[in-house]
Amino acid sequence: KKTLWDRLGGEDKAKALINTAWLNAAENEKAAGLRDKKIDTAKVKQALAGWVSANTGGPGAYSAADLKAALGGATLTDADFNA
């Protein structure tokens, strides 16, 4: 039986999904406060790809510490996620 990771299309599709979500968030005025933060976009995307992989049966690993470092100390609120 295929894992959810495989059914989603694996790494390439997951990265494309994460990139699209990131670009959508960047264009959302409700998330404008995040643009002023020192966020390492490439590292955030990499950490999110690891999270998706680790939680859908893929080969990747996720580290909350990596995501926290990539966010550069930015504090995300529920409003940021719901923007």
Side-chain angles (χ1 to χ4, degrees):
K1 185 175 178 180
K2 282 187 167 185
T3 64
L4 178 55
W5 174 255
D6 292 327
R7 293 191 316 263
L8 289 171
E11 184 175 0
D12 290 339
K13 296 289 185 176
K15 285 184 175 181
L17 173 68
I18 290 164
N19 190 57
T20 298
W22 187 265
L23 292 174
N24 287 341
E27 293 174 359
N28 189 328
E29 287 303 315
K30 292 180 181 178
L34 292 176
R35 286 187 216 117
D36 300 331
K37 308 292 183 188
K38 294 181 180 182
I39 296 174
D40 186 331
T41 302
K43 287 185 179 179
V44 170
K45 289 179 184 180
Q46 182 178 11
L48 291 174
W51 184 89
V52 171
S53 179
N55 286 282
T56 60
Y62 170 71
S63 167
D66 290 345
L67 182 57
K68 186 175 180 178
L71 289 171
T75 302
L76 301 179
T77 65
D78 287 344
D80 294 322
F81 282 102
N82 294 328

